[in-house]
Amino acid sequence: MICFDFDGVISDSLHMWGGVLNKTAARFGIDLPDDVRPFQRLRPLTFETLGKALGVDPVAFSDAMAAEAASNAAIPPLVQGMRGVLDSLAGQEPLVIVSSSRRAVIERFLVEHDLSHAFSDVIGSDVYPTKVEVLRTLLPAGARIMVGDAASDMEAARAVGIEAIGVLWGWQDADMLVDAHQLVQTPADLLGVLRASEGLSLHTH
């Protein structure tokens, strides 16, 4: 089983979430600078952590972010190159999304991009408290790799003893991904690493 983070790895959603953040912050009386990179240093990369950093109630802020995103008509684009990765992996072994976003937001994206078939499960932050806990529950089902773009993804993978692969096209830079076993620059590089990983034989298209 390969576990994927969602935002920044599959969904090119940084711009969308930036807009959601600005609207949500304004509701809480917070005026964010235009050049701020609010997600860059968050550890863990969750909206609760962001709310705490902004000095507001973390749960209320996270709920407000989720509500704003659910009402947002814009669905982010798919990260360029990830469709080929997912098409190659689909059917080879189970793929699961493990995300800090809410499940409904993720499923809406997957339907829009015709990718629902690729994943055996979608686990959002409304289902589990932390990524460490959800990865631990997936170990008996064969979870062996976590693909993510944040320090907290790499830390969660290491905490449960599975391989951590960090992608460099996501929300956090390489200096935040020091716990990754491997870093990949592009989706094509990711597919190469997964092809080479033990027990996985992929067909090509």
Side-chain angles (χ1 to χ4, degrees):
M1 176 186 291
I2 302 173
C3 302
F4 287 86
D5 179 44
F6 177 65
D7 290 294
V9 176
I10 295 169
S11 174
D12 189 3
S13 57
L14 184 58
H15 178 74
M16 184 275 283
W17 279 114
V20 169
L21 171 60
N22 285 332
K23 291 179 181 178
T24 305
R27 291 198 180 99
F28 282 78
I30 301 167
D31 185 19
L32 295 174
D34 291 338
D35 61 349
V36 71
R37 295 182 68 192
F39 306 109
Q40 172 60 28
R41 314 303 299 183
L42 289 183
R43 200 171 189 156
L45 181 48
T46 68
F47 299 137
E48 287 88 350
T49 309
L50 181 54
K52 186 176 181 180
L54 294 173
V56 298
D57 181 272
V59 175
F61 189 80
S62 178
D63 288 345
M65 287 282 288
E68 179 63 36
S71 66
N72 192 324
I75 293 177
L78 180 68
V79 168
Q80 188 172 3
M82 279 303 292
R83 184 175 299 279
V85 173
L86 296 172
D87 284 346
S88 292
L89 293 169
Q92 301 297 316
E93 66 178 296
L95 309 181
V96 175
I97 290 177
V98 178
S99 175
S100 296
S101 287
R102 306 292 174 95
R103 181 171 182 163
V105 172
I106 301 168
E107 290 182 335
R108 181 174 167 226
F109 173 95
L110 295 177
V111 169
E112 175 69 18
H113 291 285
D114 193 25
L115 284 171
S116 299
H117 66 279
F119 296 97
S120 60
D121 203 357
V122 174
I123 305 175
S125 61
D126 45 338
V127 178
Y128 69 95
T130 69
K131 287 190 177 181
V132 171
E133 290 179 57
V134 72
L135 290 179
R136 189 169 286 125
T137 68
L138 293 173
L139 287 176
R144 64 187 188 90
I145 294 173
M146 177 71 200
V147 180
D149 67 335
S152 47
D153 297 324
M154 306 300 98
E155 292 164 356
R158 282 189 175 267
V160 302
I162 66 174
E163 185 174 359
I165 299 178
V167 308
L168 296 177
W169 61 82
W171 288 20
Q172 296 192 335
D173 296 333
D175 68 321
M176 291 293 289
L177 304 178
V178 294
D179 284 323
H181 292 100
Q182 297 189 71
L183 294 175
V184 292
Q185 291 276 357
T186 68
D189 294 338
L190 173 62
L191 184 56
V193 167
L194 295 175
R195 277 186 172 140
S197 67
E198 183 179 0
L200 187 63
S201 175
L202 299 175
H203 61 278
T204 58
H205 294 273

